[in-house]
Amino acid sequence: MIHPDVVTTIADLRARLDAARAAGRRIALVPTMGSLHDGHLSLVEHAAAIADEVVVSIFVNPLQFGPTEDFEQYPRDLERDRAALAGHPGTIVFAPAVDEMYPLGASQTRVTAGAVGGLFEGRSRPGHFDGMLTVVAKLLNIVQPDAAVFGQKDAQQVHLVQRMVRELDIRTRIEVAETVRADDGLALSSRNAFLDERQRRAARSIPLALEAAQSAGDRGIDAVLAAAQGVLMGEPAIELDYFAVVDPATFRPVPDEFRGVARALVAARVGSTRLIDTETLVLG
Ligand code: PAF
C-alpha cells in the first residue's frame, strides 16, 4: 500500500495546497499529535468524505504541555503513523519540527481559552487549552482548510475550537465526528493501551455510567448525577475526577431548571491511566 507523502515545511505545504485550491479542490484538515489509532482514522474518513484533499497534521505541540507533563516522553513514530494512513490514498501528512512551527521560540502571541479553559480538563492542566487553541489557530492559518475535523470525545477542546473560530472570524467550518467505541463500549484512545485486563474491565464503568445518565435524563439533573455516580462508585478500581452535565452552548454545568439537549462529561483514573468520555443526553 502507498504511504502518504510527508511535508515538513509551511512553505512546501502552502505551495501544494495553493495549487489544489486553484484547481477548485476542497481541503480538509485533521489535526493530530500522532500515535494514530482507529479513532483518528475515522476522522480521516470523515474528512475524505467532505473534501478532495485531506491534510493530517502530526505535531506534538509543546505549548499545550505543562512543565510537569510528559512532552519529551510523548510517543512519536512517524513511520508507524504513515503506515496507519496507507489505506487513505491522497492524504498529505504535515509533520513540522518544533522550530518550523515556533521559529522565534515559545510563541509570545497566544490565543486564550478564557474562563471555560480553566474548567474540567483545564483545572488539572493550567494553560493547556491556550496552547491547544494557539496551535490550532496556526494550523488553520497555514492550511486554510474549508473544514477541520475534530473528535467529539475531546468535548471541551471541540467547544473551545468552535468558539475561537466564531470569535476570531476564521473561515474554516468545524466538523465534529462521533466517538468511536471498542466492542466493550470504551471510547478509543491511545491511553487504553496502558490498561491491563482487570483495569480494562473496570474502565467499562465509564461508558456504562454515561448510559445510565442518558436513561435517567427524563427524571432531571439530580437523577442523572445519582445514576452515573452510582455506577462509578460501584467500581472500586475507578477514581473519579469529575462527572458533570453541561449546557453545550456555554460548557457550564446546567442549572436545575435546564431542559433539552445537554452534554455529560466524565474523567476518571483507572490505575495510573486517566480516561475521559462524553455523551449527549436529553434532560426532560
Ligand atoms: O487533540 C489533539 O490531539 C490536540 O489537542 C490537537 C488538536 C492536535 C492540537 O495539538
Side-chain angles (χ1 to χ4, degrees), residues 92-280:
I92 303 168
V93 169
F94 177 51
V98 171
D99 288 356
E100 179 71 10
M101 289 295 276
Y102 300 114
L104 308 179
S107 186
Q108 300 295 300
T109 310
R110 303 211 181 182
V111 180
T112 56
V116 172
L119 305 176
F120 308 115
E121 290 308 289
R123 222 172 37 208
S124 48
R125 304 185 70 186
H128 164 73
F129 285 119
D130 294 359
M132 179 281 292
L133 286 180
T134 303
V135 83
V136 170
K138 284 173 69 71
L139 289 166
L140 294 176
N141 278 332
I142 292 165
V143 177
Q144 298 187 12
D146 297 283
V149 185
F150 290 81
Q152 181 65 81
K153 184 166 102 49
D154 294 307
Q156 194 170 2
Q157 169 166 284
V158 165
H159 172 85
L160 290 168
V161 168
Q162 283 173 324
R163 190 170 174 145
M164 172 182 77
V165 162
R166 228 174 129 188
E167 291 188 327
L168 298 186
D169 303 301
I170 296 173
R171 264 183 137 167
T172 301
R173 192 173 75 248
I174 302 302
E175 297 238 345
V176 184
E178 277 313 311
T179 304
V180 182
R181 297 186 179 280
D183 289 345
D184 62 2
L186 214 60
L188 295 194
S189 158
S190 14
R191 293 183 175 177
N192 295 351
F194 303 134
L195 302 171
D196 64 27
E197 219 174 288
R198 196 181 49 79
Q199 290 171 331
R200 173 95 196 193
R201 270 199 307 277
R204 288 177 51 200
S205 299
I206 294 173
L208 289 175
L210 290 169
E211 273 176 36
Q214 284 175 316
S215 307
D218 55 358
R219 287 184 283 123
I221 183 64
D222 289 345
V224 164
L225 296 176
Q229 275 156 6
V231 174
L232 293 163
M233 300 302 178
E235 175 46 74
I238 296 244
E239 195 191 314
L240 182 62
D241 182 353
Y242 59 80
F243 183 93
V245 178
V246 296
D247 178 343
T250 60
F251 222 80
R252 302 260 179 191
V254 293
D256 287 348
E257 64 281 6
F258 186 94
R259 298 287 174 273
V261 178
R263 175 153 297 285
L265 310 170
V266 56
R269 223 170 255 288
V270 188
S272 56
T273 307
R274 190 166 179 283
L275 300 172
I276 60 170
D277 203 347
T278 180
E279 275 296 348
T280 48

